[in-house]
Amino acid sequence: LHSPALIAQATQLAIAAGANFVKTSTGKTPVSATPKAAAAMLGEIARAGRQTGGPTVGFKASGGIRTVADALPYLALVAEHLGPGALSPERFRIGASSLLGDIEAVLAGNPLSTPAANSATY
C-alpha cells in the first residue's frame, strides 16, 4: 500500500477483524517495512487502544530490517505511539532473521552498522 490513508484503513480492518498483531509486510516484496508505514499503523493501534481502554493489538515490523540501526526507528516509533511498556514481545516484534548477526556483533562491542538502503516512501 502506497499511502498512509490506505495503510491506516488496512490496519483498522485488521483490528476490527480481531487481529492480535499487525505486520508491515511479508518481507517478500520489493518494498518492505518503512518507518512511515509503521507510524501510520501504530497510530491506528494506539487509537484503537484508547477507544477500548487498553492495549488491543501488537505490532510486527518485518522486511528490510537487517541491522540494529535499521531496527532503532521502529523501537522509537513503538515507544512514541504505544508507550515504552509496549517494547515487549507481547506488543512488539521484529521479523528479521538476518538481524541476529548484527545484534550479536553490537553486543560483542562492534559499532552499529549503517542502516540498509531503502528508497521506498511507504
Side-chain angles (χ1 to χ4, degrees), residues 10-108:
T11 303
Q12 292 166 6
L13 290 169
I15 292 169
N20 291 319
F21 268 79
V22 292
K23 181 178 174 179
T24 56
S25 83
T26 63
K28 308 288 184 208
T29 59
V31 176
S32 297
T34 67
K36 288 182 180 182
M41 295 170 77
L42 288 162
E44 292 305 317
I45 293 170
R47 187 180 62 75
R50 287 190 300 274
Q51 289 178 340
T52 63
T56 57
V57 176
F59 172 75
K60 184 174 182 179
S62 182
I65 303 167
R66 294 178 182 86
T67 67
V68 172
D70 291 333
L72 291 175
Y74 298 98
L75 291 164
L77 284 167
V78 169
E80 175 187 340
H81 288 274
L82 306 181
L87 294 173
S88 68
E90 294 78 27
R91 296 289 311 278
F92 175 57
R93 298 177 187 169
I94 296 176
S97 58
S98 60
L99 177 60
L100 179 60
D102 199 53
I103 290 171
E104 290 173 335
V106 170
L107 291 174

